Amino acid sequence: MAENAADRGTQSGGRPARPDLAAMVVPLGRALMAAEQPVLDAHGLTMWAYSVLLHLDETPIRTQAALAEAIRADKTRIIAVLDDLETRELIRRQPDPEDRRVRLLSLTTEGRRLRDAAQAAIQEGEERLLAQLPAADRAAFVRSLQTLSGLPELTARKPGRGPTRA
């Protein structure tokens, strides 16, 4: 059976039939971040602060370094963010009873409320964008993004790599 260019994912002449994934995803990501910014501003949050709130919950994260790795930030960079969130009583930093040098990080009730309100407003905007897709495509798109973003090679922090969100 003869293989044609469409079967190989290329147009005639050897050119790919679709743009590279980054060429499609990066502009979309930038547009989504730009759409998030007014929501974050209205809630008094920076992107980094929102990232911190998204990764904290009732169960404490044991170290600032573990949190920094989870949000793909330099651990020294988030100290000012954590200081601000703690001053605003959105997070709690408590000494670890097992190791005084370690701080346990967790959300306060107000931090959870603010995180949930900001996330709901952001996702409301995302839903307007997703509504432009047929329902089956929308569900498949979100499922695919969740699968790809959870791949170990994407979640493992590479040495010397900077943050993914600014």
Side-chain angles (χ1 to χ4, degrees), residues 2 9 32 48 93 99 108 120 124:
L32 290 170
W48 282 116
R93 283 195 282 196
D99 185 344
T108 63
E124 187 178 301

Side-chain angles (χ1 to χ4, degrees), residues 108-121:
T108 63
T109 301
E110 181 59 21
R112 188 174 310 101
R113 186 204 62 74
L114 182 62
R115 177 206 58 202
D116 293 349
Q119 189 172 32

